[in-house]
Amino acid sequence: MILLAFILQTLRIAVPYLLAAAGGVMSERVGIIALGLEGLMLSGAFGAALGSYYGNSPWAGLLGALVAGGLITSLLAVSTIRFRANQVVVGVAINLIVAASTRYFLRLVFDSSSNSPRVPGFGGEGIGNAMFASFLNPVVWIGLAALPALGWVLYRTPFGLRVRAVGEKPEAAATLGVAVNPMRLKGLYIAGALASLGGAYLALDQHQFTDGMTAGRGFIALAAVIFGRWEPVRVGVACLLFAGAETLQIQLQGAQLVPSQFVEMIPYVLTIVALAGVVGRSVAPAALGKTD
Amino acid sequence: MSTTALKSTRVWEAVLPAVVALGLAAVLGDLLILSFGESPAAVWTLLVKGTWGNAYGIGQVLYKATTLTCTGLAFAMAGRAGLFNVGAEGQLAAGGFGAAVMGLLLPSALPAVLAIPLCVVSAMMVGAAVGALPGALRAKFGASEVIVTIMLNFIVLALLNWIVSAKLHLPETLRTPDIAAGNVPRLADTFAMFRGSAANFTLLFAVAAAVAGWWYLFRTRSGYELRAVGLQPEAAEYGGVKVPRVLFVSMAISGALAGLGGVNFVLGYKGYYEEGFAGGAGFLGIAVALVGRNHPFGILAAALLFATLSQGGLAVNAVVPKQLTDILTAAVILSVATAVPEVQQQIRAAAASVTASLARKSTQGVGA
Amino acid sequence: MTSAPAIRMAGVVKTFGAVVANRDASLEVQRGEIHALVGENGAGKSTLMRVLAGLYAPDGGVIEVNGRDVTGWKTTEAITAGVGMVHQHFMLVPTLTVAENVVLGTEPTKGLTIDLHRAVMEVESLCKKCGLHVDPRAKIADLSVGEAQRVEILKALYRGAKVLILDEPTAVLSPPEVQELWGVLRTLRADGGTVVLITHKLDEVIAVSDNITVMRAGATVSRFPTQGITPREIARAMVGRDVNLHLDAMGAVREGSAHSHESSGGVSAPALRITNLRVLSDRGTVAVNDLSFDIRPGEIVGIAGVEGNGQTELLEAIAGLRAVRGGHIQLGPHDFTALSVRERADRGLSHIPEDRHRRGLVLDYSIADNLILGRQHHFASRGGLDLDRIAANATEQVKRFDIRPPIADLPARALSGGNQQKIVIAREMGREFSVLLAAQPTRGVDVGAIEFIHEQLRAARDAGKGILLVSADLPEVLALSDRIAVMYGGRFVTVLPAAECTAELLGPYMTGAAA
């Protein structure tokens, strides 16, 4: 029973990671560095709160999340694809813009500096069935399906083949008539949608938007992408691993076995280890970061 | 385009994007102010009054600019070598912590002229260590320093959180005890008009670092080699430069500069280390370096600009949320980043055709 | 009724900024013909064909394919119309398989997914039909260069190319692969297809083409049927004046003065001595295989050979840019084998790298700063860089080597290819050295600068320097060298005095036919 509870909690914690990491894989496979995942998630969270508040329904919240994510993705796309700005800088800037904007609009719309009012979520009220209530949440299902679906798309469909070509050697794709920039654009919007849904999950689950609520999850998702070597199934495993460590730490909180800060560090340390090639080298898509 | 203009294309390439970006930011600022129902002119005036219009404001601007100069220089130094140090936030915090620890260890009787340099060195060395790790991984394994520095930020901050909360904090707080030795005097101690502001003489260290950085980059052989590595590493290698070593060293220097920024708060302002004192200055350093075009003197100017925006936000907070200036800051980063490739392309195209015609002019029977 | 030619291009103009790549180019090719498009480096052949393939839109002129006006069309339209181009630099995705690369963009599908099985089958049957052999399931990264080129050809044929354009295809092929390629082209021709072969190798032209179009300086200058033509006539059209292929086909004709008077009794110590050198390529294969040779002071040793036989790795190893797995390198009295790049330069080694943009220059540095690259430690002291000396050095070199425009503060990026190369030459030859490594010293350089560079090389030789010249341009090697070594498979298969060498004599060595 404890094991079941552990697994279920891990899955719940994993959902935002799975969604954002799926977005990260999509983005980086098509050649765009996914440093802005944190900002995309946060924008999705705010959009979900906004949507759910005004539409009085979590579905409106999802729509709001996609719209917000779409707007931020557009900003990202124009800067990196049309203007060929440096993708690392753009990623950092996006994160800052979203952090500042959400605070700004929080004040403007909800007249608060910390959180929105309570908004409808996907149900599961009442402690008793909280564990299983998750499975009434459509976003959980999307989250669990995201990476496997992405894997199927990448390796089985023409679209996926072209994505991989564009992320490795865009010139090759171009000489065969594959329109490179439109591909990048499509990949980015898919990535943005996924990441913003990850943020939406957070907001709807907690029934409100809180300033800075993503708390670095976007970076953990990026860590999972790298640790999982940009392959959807491995990335999924990485997400579950990170979520599992987090669950463990929560459940063992009283036991004081390992200080919580060290458990926090696990995803980051593992990523650095993966990059140093200690357990096999993580090699990025060859055209990652280049848009000229 | 005249010959003088041709020679200075690199200057144009550097300056134009910043100018364009600031223009865009100003427009965006106006729009945001209007969305809150206020008058742009009034808000901008209030902002200027609250920053450069009074001694306290100037002091605060100088204080903030000091930290930003350090983190900006940090990003720039790595940037000139072709590296992206996104870890200034962690290096800054670690440096501040290093200064605090040294300050706690030194006897309070030690004269400032010894204590301060020791604490400053401690800050820079800790910062350098945090910067050196990504440098080493990049040099040895080709590991992306972008990712490693980001990851390290979280690791360092978590580690510092643990050390302080487990071992070193004053009860009910997240700060260390007051430092015994090594406090840097406030500006107010010498210039009474700055009373109440956090501005302190770390300012001098920051300016000195900028000058030293400029001299190092543009007047020394190491700097020549470092810049070559950033511009064309294979040519640098051909030119006898040991590229991995340069990558490592530049990350260490970068970390040290960020660590220096920690001195501003820990030794100059509060006299102790406090969790979260960095407050985003590490990431803002990226903006400063970008607008300052990775040039130490540009960074000084950009640091003043962003410090003004930050302080200005507080000054207008009653009228417009201070996040306005945060948004503007981020918008400036984005605009500069997008302007750079465009400007570069236009200038280079123009320069190339002019140079070609100049070359044709002096024909001696050997045509082009 | 005569059917329209497969290709008709007339009066084509194409400029890139200040550079006029095509100024009055034309081409006419009938269906069922293998047509050679020849010219020197920079004549505009590649550009013209890229216009045809839809990669560039022309600034002027008319292009017709099978009678239809297609001027300014895009790659996708060209591909649909059956015009395919095989580029010099392969456009293949290394991490994908052969089949995936071939079908990319026109994937066979089964519902929503790619029908990989069918893709593999289709590639296999295409291979059989044309006489090419390649494993459809292999990853591109694992293929040899020759195999990779076959994939490029398959890509074009898969899309039903009836017009196939090949840009310098044999530069990277071994002799049996070249023969296989000719077989494929002839099969295509027999099938009613049309082939345009861009090349500057006259033996190829004679071997496989039906007709020849010659381009020079961006314009078409001659057209002949291959039957009955001699290489000399082709060369004359390429260069614009009578040319003795045995000497200098590239610039002025030099009689007699080309080669130094034979080894003047030299029992002088070698300037450069290589002993049993063994060097690996990037892929881990053996690139330089137990090589030994000497260069005497006052001699130019030219290495002739198809690119990819170890020349690049050899020069990099001597310069210190690549590790040596066995053997020794000695310059004068110094054993170089363990020394760094800088230490070698300080002991008298100069190096003109084969890729000036990658290795030879920091394009964003000024001319003056580039002129001290590799020697910056000589222009600095405790107190930093000696700006005055750097400026003085620049003024002197710019004047001596006629670098234009003569403004030392200009970023190197702004200069023409020839002038950029002059910076490299000025830096490497304008100082004290005893041995010079010159890799492709006149690649991508305009004619006037070529002559200048050749003069510099000869002058250095006359002044007693030892020069190792590597050039893919056989006429250049023939014109400059005192001794010629042919490199094949990482070894020197022969070393002969230049006076005895001709293109015909060396050909078999270069292609590995003579051992």
Side-chain angles (χ1 to χ4, degrees), chain C residues 7-242:
Chain C
I7 303 168
R8 194 180 86 86
M9 304 178 81
V12 174
V13 177
K14 180 66 190 166
T15 53
F16 299 100
V19 179
V20 181
N22 289 148
R23 58 185 169 83
D24 182 23
S26 59
L27 179 73
E28 194 172 303
V29 183
Q30 302 300 327
R31 241 169 286 191
E33 189 189 317
I34 297 180
H35 196 104
L37 182 58
V38 302
E40 304 181 284
N41 269 333
K45 322 180 284 289
S46 284
T47 307
L48 186 64
M49 287 301 98
R50 280 161 179 231
V51 167
L52 179 61
L55 278 152
Y56 303 147
D59 298 316
V62 161
I63 298 135
E64 287 172 8
V65 170
N66 291 324
R68 189 170 70 118
D69 188 334
V70 298
T71 314
W73 65 352
K74 302 211 188 46
T75 331
T76 34
E77 296 170 87
I79 293 175
T80 321
V83 175
M85 184 161 177
V86 175
H87 303 265
Q88 237 181 329
H89 300 291
F90 300 152
M91 299 281 174
L92 297 170
V93 184
T95 49
L96 299 179
T97 64
V98 169
E100 287 171 331
N101 268 279
V102 171
V103 303
L104 181 64
T106 44
E107 304 88 350
T109 53
K110 195 166 56 180
L112 286 175
T113 59
I114 300 179
D115 192 344
L116 258 181
H117 182 73
R118 203 169 92 197
V120 168
M121 298 271 90
E122 287 176 356
V123 170
E124 270 172 1
S125 73
L126 199 54
C127 281
K128 277 205 198 75
K129 192 166 145 217
C130 318
L132 288 171
H133 308 289
V134 90
D135 176 7
R137 292 182 202 274
K139 277 215 175 81
I140 301 291
D142 298 330
L143 296 180
S144 72
V145 175
E147 288 170 316
Q149 190 184 71
R150 286 176 229 159
V151 180
E152 281 286 353
I153 297 176
L154 285 171
K155 270 165 60 178
L157 296 177
Y158 181 77
R159 284 158 180 73
K162 280 312 216 171
V163 174
L164 189 66
I165 307 163
L166 297 124
D167 194 348
E168 308 277 6
T170 60
V172 294
L173 295 182
S174 69
E177 287 172 328
V178 172
Q179 291 311 312
E180 188 183 84
L181 179 63
W182 294 164
V184 172
L185 297 183
R186 290 186 183 113
T187 310
L188 273 174
R189 176 179 56 187
D191 230 2
T194 312
V195 175
V196 178
L197 183 65
I198 302 175
T199 181
H200 64 280
K201 297 187 181 178
L202 304 182
D203 55 317
E204 290 181 3
V205 172
I206 309 280
V208 81
S209 69
D210 303 313
N211 290 296
I212 306 168
T213 297
V214 183
M215 285 184 72
R216 191 191 334 137
T220 300
V221 293
S222 310
R223 242 175 239 114
F224 338 88
T226 310
Q227 181 95 25
I229 206 82
T230 66
R232 193 195 186 107
E233 287 172 274
I234 307 177
R236 191 197 303 151
M238 281 167 70
V239 179
R241 47 183 175 263
D242 203 353

Side-chain angles (χ1 to χ4, degrees), chain A residues 103 107, chain B residues 310 313-314 316-317 320-327:
Chain A
R103 273 185 217 130
R107 223 172 115 172
Chain B
S310 169
L314 291 175
V316 305
N317 194 36
V320 195
K322 75 171 174 71
Q323 283 75 37
L324 171 75
T325 49
D326 292 340
I327 297 181

Side-chain angles (χ1 to χ4, degrees), chain B residues 3 6-7 10 215 219-221 224-225 227-228 231-232 234-235 237-241 348 355 362 366-367, chain C residues 341-342 351 357-359 364-365 369 373-374 376-377 383-385 404-405 407 409-410 413-414 427-428:
Chain B
T3 316
L6 195 59
K7 276 197 252 188
R10 282 172 294 175
W215 188 80
R219 289 286 183 273
T220 67
R221 174 181 65 86
Y224 171 96
E225 292 180 352
R227 284 181 293 128
L231 289 169
Q232 190 69 30
E234 286 175 298
E237 184 190 24
Y238 158 87
V241 177
R348 283 181 188 179
T355 318
S362 44
V366 276
Chain C
V341 175
R342 176 165 304 177
H351 179 198
H357 284 179
R358 217 171 45 98
R359 289 272 194 205
D364 290 306
Y365 268 4
D369 281 340
L373 183 65
Q376 58 272 12
H377 50 298
L385 292 172
R404 302 201 205 141
I407 306 170
D409 292 334
L410 276 185
R413 182 183 290 283
R427 179 183 68 218
E428 298 302 308

Side-chain angles (χ1 to χ4, degrees), chain C residues 435-494:
Chain C
V435 170
L436 171 68
L437 306 172
Q440 318 293 349
T442 57
R443 173 174 282 169
V445 167
D446 49 275
V447 175
I450 293 176
E451 283 195 60
F452 178 84
I453 293 172
H454 283 185
E455 269 166 37
Q456 293 297 318
L457 290 170
R458 289 196 183 101
R461 185 264 320 272
D462 292 338
K465 314 295 181 196
I467 299 178
L468 183 58
L469 170 70
V470 171
S471 175
D473 225 292
L474 190 53
E476 182 174 52
V477 175
L478 287 168
L480 291 173
S481 317
D482 300 310
R483 280 192 295 147
I484 296 179
V486 179
M487 192 158 187
Y488 180 77
R491 299 194 128 103
F492 283 176
V493 291
T494 185

Side-chain angles (χ1 to χ4, degrees), chain A residues 2-35:
Chain A
I2 297 183
L3 184 62
L4 188 62
F6 178 84
I7 292 176
L8 288 176
Q9 188 170 16
T10 299
L11 286 176
R12 281 188 62 212
I13 290 181
V15 167
Y17 296 149
L18 290 169
L19 284 165
V25 171
M26 183 78 235
S27 173
E28 299 223 334
R29 281 294 208 147
V30 92
I32 312 270
I33 299 177
L35 268 183

Side-chain angles (χ1 to χ4, degrees), chain C residues 378-389:
Chain C
H378 291 306
F379 284 87
S381 62
R382 263 282 112 99
L385 292 172
D386 189 339
L387 296 179
D388 291 330
R389 268 195 31 224

